[in-house]
């Protein structure tokens, strides 16, 4: 496959023209065209140029222009104004940034916003009902005093909601194992387990 | 983090081409200008730390991937998430060592993100590799030396090391794959190929920066695990500093074919103690044909670590590794299948 020409024209950098030229010489042209036609986040030639990113966050569509480096966490906090998701370690070790992407709990600090394009994102701000009634998990955390400083709490609650929905909250051991990705330096762990045990029953009724 | 161009591939062929355009220079795949990203749990972390510096990221996270049984055995698509494979009923019942190795790794959030293909390529947790303020790291900066030899090496390897690198391979799933004689299928610029999983990773030797046999732009597409009399009687035992969400200090992947109390055939791999996924052939040869008991399990464990070389802070791993392996063998022998 003849990539050498386009590569030598622009060593070390991929621009849109050379990409298309190169792929046009390849055997899998239809695949490439299909891939590129489907992607709204196609890369500009300048890696610092902003990219258009469309996200659906807590039921609202957001159209953003972002540096491709922007994590989902920084997007939420710095660009959308949703500061509930917390930045603890920013390297996938503490769980404070946990959000739901298409109902699945993930770490927003290790997710690029551009990779979440087209997904439904739920943050702590999106849990309560529109009438302001707290989600059963939020209420349970209050009822059981399941926090002290509160910094890890949004991540704990988002993770706990997913833990119940996954069916991983059957026993205290299960809860501890499946909540192990959320650290609490205040060590509110026993109260967190109690809160999840309360909320899982409420969530089942709902 | 350094700036990069972002591409998303909806077909594996597109991913390979996109990576290939940027991957022409002579560099091991981990240093290539174009890198694949799926879950992002390793590469984004290492990009924030400036350990990895890709100029282009090709998102392969949306590629289709399935879990299915075929004539060759269990077929795991590389795009399948760790959590999905760990909770798959066929995997749990017929290949428990795979389900357990995945389940005992990372946290549920990370298992929801990380792909199986990316998981086997996760990079070492050696602190000197991850911290670019240390100039001496032969894996990150070839020829610069190894800060770990006389440094904080408690968590590092005792098997397969060289005087250039003692970084331990951090993964769990790979131990299950190497124990079960899995094949790995790839798609690269020169087309598709299939190789033994045991041949995928390399020992550090004089070139610890070259970690696998993969070429730049070559993408793992699937793992194929043959079914055998041993696959159901299999388990993964992982010993670590805390009970969950931690890398192994020592681990053992075991699959046994038993005739009563006699080991007809064994498959043994070790994690947390070696520079790459580690098949313990000497242990297998020691235990095969023997009655499985405390004494023979201990004998196999002794054989497995006969070639161990210890460093200033990790000598404890020899005995920990032996006990881990012996206990795993006995536990596997007691399994009701």
């Amino acid at each position: 496959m003849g990539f050498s020409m386009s590569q030598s024209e622009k060593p070390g950098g991929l621009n849109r023209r050379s990409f298309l030229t190169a792929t046009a010489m390849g055997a899998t042209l239809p695949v490439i065209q299909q891939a590129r036609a489907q992607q709204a986040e196609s890369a500009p030639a300048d890696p610092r140029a902003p990219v258009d990113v469309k996200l659906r966050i807590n039921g609202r569509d957001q159209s953003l222009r972002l540096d491709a480096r922007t994590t989902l966490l920084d997007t939420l906090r710095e660009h959308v104004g949703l500061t509930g998701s917390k930045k603890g370690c920013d390297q996938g070790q503490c769980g404070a940034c946990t959000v739901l992407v298409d109902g699945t709990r993930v770490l927003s600090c290790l997710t690029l916003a551009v990779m979440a394009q087209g997904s439904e994102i739920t943050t702590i701000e999106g849990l309560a009902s529109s009438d302001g009634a707290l989600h059963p998990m939020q209420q349970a955390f209050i009822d059981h005093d399941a926090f002290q400083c509160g910094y890890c709490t949004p991540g704990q609650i988002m993770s706990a909601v997913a833990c119940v929905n996954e069916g991983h909250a059957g026993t205290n051991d299960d809860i501890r194992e499946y909540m192990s990705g959320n650290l609490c330096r205040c060590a509110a762990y026993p109260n967190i387990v109690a809160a999840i045990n309360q909320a899982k029953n409420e969530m089942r009724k709902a | 983090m350094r700036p990069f161009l972002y591409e998303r591939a909806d077909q594996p062929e597109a991913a390979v081409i996109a990576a290939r355009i940027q991957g022409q220079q002579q560099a091991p795949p981990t240093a290539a200008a174009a890198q694949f990203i799926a879950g992002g749990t390793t590469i984004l972390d290492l990009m924030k730390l400036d350990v990895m510096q890709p100029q282009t990221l090709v998102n392969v996270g949306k590629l289709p991937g399935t879990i299915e049984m075929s004539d060759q055995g269990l077929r795991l698509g590389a795009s399948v998430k760790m959590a999905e494979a760990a909770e798959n009923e066929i995997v749990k019942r017929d290949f428990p060592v795979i389900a357990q190795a995945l389940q005992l790794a990372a946290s549920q959030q990370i298992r929801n993100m990380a792909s199986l293909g990316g998981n086997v390529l996760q990079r070492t947790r050696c602190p000197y590799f991850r911290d670019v303020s240390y100039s001496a790291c032969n894996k990150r900066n070839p020829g610069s030396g190894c800060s770990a030899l006389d440094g904080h090496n408690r968590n590092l390897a005792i098997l397969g090391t060289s005087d250039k690198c003692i970084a331990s391979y951090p993964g769990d799933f790979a131990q299950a794959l190497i124990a079960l004689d899995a094949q790995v299928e790839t798609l690269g610029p020169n087309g598709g190929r299939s190789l033994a999983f045991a041949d995928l990773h390399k020992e550090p030797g004089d070139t610890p920066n070259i970690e696998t046999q993969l070429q730049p732009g070559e993408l793992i597409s699937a793992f194929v695990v043959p079914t055998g009399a041993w696959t159901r009687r299999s388990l993964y035992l992982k010993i670590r500093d805390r009970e969950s969400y931690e890398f192994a200090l020592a681990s053992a992947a075991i699959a046994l074919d038993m005739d009563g109390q006699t080991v007809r055939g064994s498959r043994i791999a070790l994690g947390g103690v070696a520079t790459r996924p580690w098949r313990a052939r000497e242990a297998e040869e020691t235990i095969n044909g023997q009655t499985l008991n405390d004494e023979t399990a201990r004998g196999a464990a002794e054989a497995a670590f006969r070639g161990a070389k210890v460093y200033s802070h990790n000598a404890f791993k020899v005995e920990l590794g032996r006990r881990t392996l012996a206990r795993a063998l006995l536990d596997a022998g007691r399994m009701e299948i």
Side-chain angles (χ1 to χ4, degrees), chain A:
Chain A
M1 292 184 281
F3 299 130
S4 56
M5 187 188 300
S6 57
Q7 183 63 23
S8 61
E9 281 171 0
K10 193 163 178 70
L14 172 71
N15 63 35
R16 187 178 175 84
R17 186 178 306 275
S18 72
F19 181 89
L20 293 173
T21 306
T23 55
M25 288 184 261
T28 52
L29 177 61
V31 171
I32 287 284
Q33 284 179 331
Q34 182 191 1
R36 295 193 63 82
Q38 286 176 2
Q39 63 181 178
E41 71 266 36
S42 62
D46 175 5
R48 288 186 177 81
V51 292
D52 292 323
V53 180
K54 283 191 168 59
L55 300 173
R56 188 166 176 81
I57 303 168
N58 298 333
R60 290 183 58 182
D61 290 320
Q62 303 276 354
S63 292
L64 304 158
R65 279 178 79 71
L66 300 169
D67 188 307
R69 290 170 286 185
T70 316
T71 62
L72 179 58
L73 175 61
D74 285 341
T75 302
L76 293 169
R77 292 181 55 84
E78 310 291 341
H79 297 270
V80 187
L82 297 173
T83 55
S85 304
K86 294 294 185 273
K87 183 182 281 192
C89 67
D90 204 30
Q91 54 181 4
Q93 296 184 6
C94 76
C97 68
T98 302
V99 300
L100 307 186
V101 173
D102 294 330
T104 301
R105 51 175 158 160
V106 302
L107 300 174
S108 60
C109 78
L110 289 184
T111 303
L112 292 174
V114 71
M115 293 172 70
Q117 184 122 241
S119 296
E120 182 86 33
I121 294 148
T122 308
T123 71
I124 189 73
E125 292 92 342
L127 270 194
S129 315
S130 50
D131 65 2
L134 294 180
H135 185 281
M137 192 64 74
Q138 291 174 304
Q139 188 59 53
F141 268 64
I142 294 170
D143 293 346
H144 290 271
D145 198 16
F147 47 82
Q148 192 173 168
C149 82
Y151 194 81
C152 72
T153 308
Q156 296 279 2
I157 290 176
M158 298 311 293
S159 201
V161 168
C163 182
V164 172
N165 288 338
E166 290 158 7
H168 290 145
T171 67
N172 287 351
D173 281 350
D174 275 353
I175 292 171
R176 288 191 194 98
E177 172 60 37
Y178 283 91
M179 290 295 291
S180 70
N182 293 82
L183 305 188
C184 173
R185 291 296 302 273
C186 307
Y189 297 113
N191 300 18
I192 292 170
V193 172
I196 293 172
N197 276 317
Q198 173 181 309
K200 74 181 181 193
N201 297 320
E202 300 293 321
M203 288 169 68
R204 204 174 294 144
K205 282 183 232 158

